Amino acid sequence: MHYKTTYHSPLGKMTLASDGQNLTGLWIDGQKHAESTLGRRIEEKSDLAIFKQTKNWLERYFRGARPAIAELPLAPAGGAFRQAVWKILREIPYGQVITYGEIAKQIAREKGLAKMSAQAVGQAVGHNPISVIIPCHRVVGANGNLTGYAGGIHLKIRLLAHEGITMDNFFIPRQGTAR
């Protein structure tokens, strides 16, 4: 059984999901792949402890605090490769960014591979089921390319600016350009 509730953030309505103990999803209204990892049995239940913890975490984050990701028990559903990518996302410091290529190189090193596809990393980042908390907004393309945010580039820019990242070195690519 999965449970869900909503939270009204400065970015708009968010849906939070849980298995009863862990946070399994957090999607901004209109986000691609929203709720795709939930099963068929979903019950609205706003009084779960994990939802209260998550809302408190989000309130502090949006007020400008830097709550630790480790404060929340997270259980995003995904295969081993996606889990490896999401683990790296959790390690990106507040107010900093990393490229898809840098993540690919890190995974290649960890797996003893000559190289890893940045595009494959982009797919995993784009399917992150716990937006904002697992900070996929902190991943950018090569040379400052602001691409690949399931909630929309406008929200990625708002989140990066919220964290104090200046937009001077970033750009939005024309439609159809690669990462």
Side-chain angles (χ1 to χ4, degrees), residues 61-82:
Y61 173 82
F62 286 118
R63 280 195 316 259
R66 298 179 183 189
I69 296 168
E71 290 178 24
L72 299 172
L74 305 179
F81 178 73
R82 286 184 179 179

Side-chain angles (χ1 to χ4, degrees), residues 93-122:
Y94 181 98
Q96 295 183 29
V97 296
I98 189 172
T99 68
Y100 297 96
E102 289 170 319
I103 294 172
K105 287 177 187 172
Q106 185 174 337
I107 289 177
R109 275 192 312 273
E110 290 172 2
K111 295 188 177 290
L113 302 171
K115 64 180 182 172
M116 170 62 61
S117 165
Q119 189 173 20
V121 167

Side-chain angles (χ1 to χ4, degrees), residues 148-169:
Y149 191 64
I153 296 297
H154 68 290
L155 291 181
K156 182 174 196 157
I157 291 168
R158 284 185 62 190
L159 285 164
L160 292 174
H162 171 75
E163 293 184 9
I165 297 173
T166 179
M167 295 293 115
D168 295 346
N169 297 321

